[in-house]
């Protein structure tokens, strides 16, 4: 809801986050009062750079994922993921440059078991193909699975430096309600100081 946008924005600024992946974002839907939620988050946080990526048309507007950043985007790209006859799922990428390093940052929201766990496997395989040549990446999203084995396809065994934040650091939950860690961050060629 739009009320929770204030809480989300306050959380982002309190933690001084550099770049944020947002799932279940509305753009111009009736249920959200025709608000462009990514634009609103940009205004509330003071983070100038954002992109909304549509997954589906919904409720008089669009529904999808977003990326919010302190850093300008050097490029943006959107891929449709396999969906069969289910809800369309997408993968968005922005490239940002920090201290001279080009970073590939992806956001996504995959199928859940009730929709099709088999379809999610195809989505993981598609993402793996897209990122296979990236020297570094961060993929943040709602993967709708707590099974770490599903992430193994994202590992480029030539470099063997791909991992998931929840597997490495034993995060046990997804905010605000799930006991399963269905939200995750996948990374290649990164080390973390203090994940939380």
């Amino acid at each position: 809801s739009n009320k929770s946008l204030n809480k989300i924005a306050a959380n982002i600024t309190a933690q001084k986050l550099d770049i944020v992946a947002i799932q279940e974002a509305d753009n111009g839907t009736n249920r959200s009062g025709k608000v462009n939620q990514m634009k609103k988050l940009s205004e509330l946080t003071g983070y100038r750079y954002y992109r909304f990526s549509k997954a589906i048309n919904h409720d008089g507007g669009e529904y999808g994922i977003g990326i919010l950043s302190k850093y300008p985007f050097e490029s943006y790209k959107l891929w449709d993921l396999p969906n069969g006859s289910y809800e369309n799922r997408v993968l968005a990428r922005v490239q940002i440059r920090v201290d001279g390093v080009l970073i590939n940052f992806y956001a996504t929201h995959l199928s859940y078991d009730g929709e099709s766990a088999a379809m999610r496997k195809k989505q993981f395989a598609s993402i793996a193909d897209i990122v296979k040549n990236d020297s570094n990446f961060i993929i943040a999203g709602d993967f709708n699975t707590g099974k770490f084995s599903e992430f193994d396809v994202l590992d480029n065994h030539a470099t063997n430096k791909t991992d998931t934040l929840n597997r490495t650091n034993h995060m046990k939950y997804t905010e605000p309600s799930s006991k399963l860690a269905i939200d995750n961050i996948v990374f290649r060629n990164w080390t973390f100081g203090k994940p939380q």
Side-chain angles (χ1 to χ4, degrees):
S1 74
N2 288 326
K3 282 182 183 172
S4 58
L5 286 183
N6 290 312
K7 289 182 182 175
I8 292 167
N11 200 6
I12 289 168
T13 52
Q15 295 187 63
K16 300 183 172 72
L17 304 180
D18 291 316
I19 188 164
V20 185
I22 303 285
Q23 291 77 48
E24 301 185 12
D26 280 1
N27 182 23
T29 63
N30 292 317
R31 69 180 178 186
S32 296
K34 295 293 183 183
V35 168
N36 176 337
Q37 291 188 325
M38 289 309 301
K39 182 171 186 278
K40 185 71 175 170
L41 275 177
S42 172
E43 291 166 356
L44 289 169
T45 58
Y47 288 41
R48 289 172 51 198
Y49 308 101
Y50 65 91
R51 281 303 292 248
F52 170 80
S53 298
K54 181 181 92 164
I56 59 171
N57 293 316
H58 183 72
D59 193 25
E62 300 172 332
Y63 169 83
I65 57 176
I67 298 173
L68 180 69
S69 174
K70 283 183 178 177
Y71 298 95
F73 303 144
E74 291 203 3
S75 73
Y76 164 82
K77 191 166 181 182
L78 183 66
W79 291 265
D80 285 312
L81 297 175
N83 65 71
S85 58
Y86 300 98
E87 178 182 321
N88 191 45
R89 304 289 182 168
V90 296
L91 177 74
R93 182 193 71 197
V94 297
Q95 292 180 309
I96 63 172
R97 195 173 296 273
V98 183
D99 296 333
V101 178
L102 190 68
I103 298 166
N104 298 294
F105 184 91
Y106 296 86
T108 196
H109 185 181
L110 302 187
S111 294
Y112 59 96
D113 287 353
E115 193 174 73
S116 174
M119 186 54 62
R120 186 173 61 241
K121 184 176 181 181
K122 291 179 182 175
Q123 291 164 357
F124 267 112
S126 180
I127 294 171
D129 188 55
I130 290 165
V131 304
K132 67 176 184 262
N133 294 320
D134 287 353
S135 60
N136 74 65
F137 65 66
I138 299 166
I139 313 170
D142 179 352
F143 294 90
N144 264 318
T145 181
K147 300 185 187 91
F148 297 134
S149 59
E150 293 190 39
F151 291 86
D152 288 346
V153 68
L154 296 173
D155 196 357
N156 178 337
H157 296 288
T159 62
N160 202 30
K161 290 179 181 170
T162 303
D163 207 345
T164 66
L165 197 60
N166 279 323
R167 173 158 42 190
T168 303
N169 296 282
H170 308 294
M171 309 291 182
K172 296 297 185 194
Y173 57 87
T174 285
E175 291 284 4
S177 59
S178 178
K179 298 256 188 299
L180 289 172
I182 61 172
D183 296 329
N184 217 323
I185 299 173
V186 188
F187 51 93
R188 175 179 294 161
N189 287 335
W190 286 90
T191 54
F192 279 84
K194 188 189 168 196
Q196 61 186 28

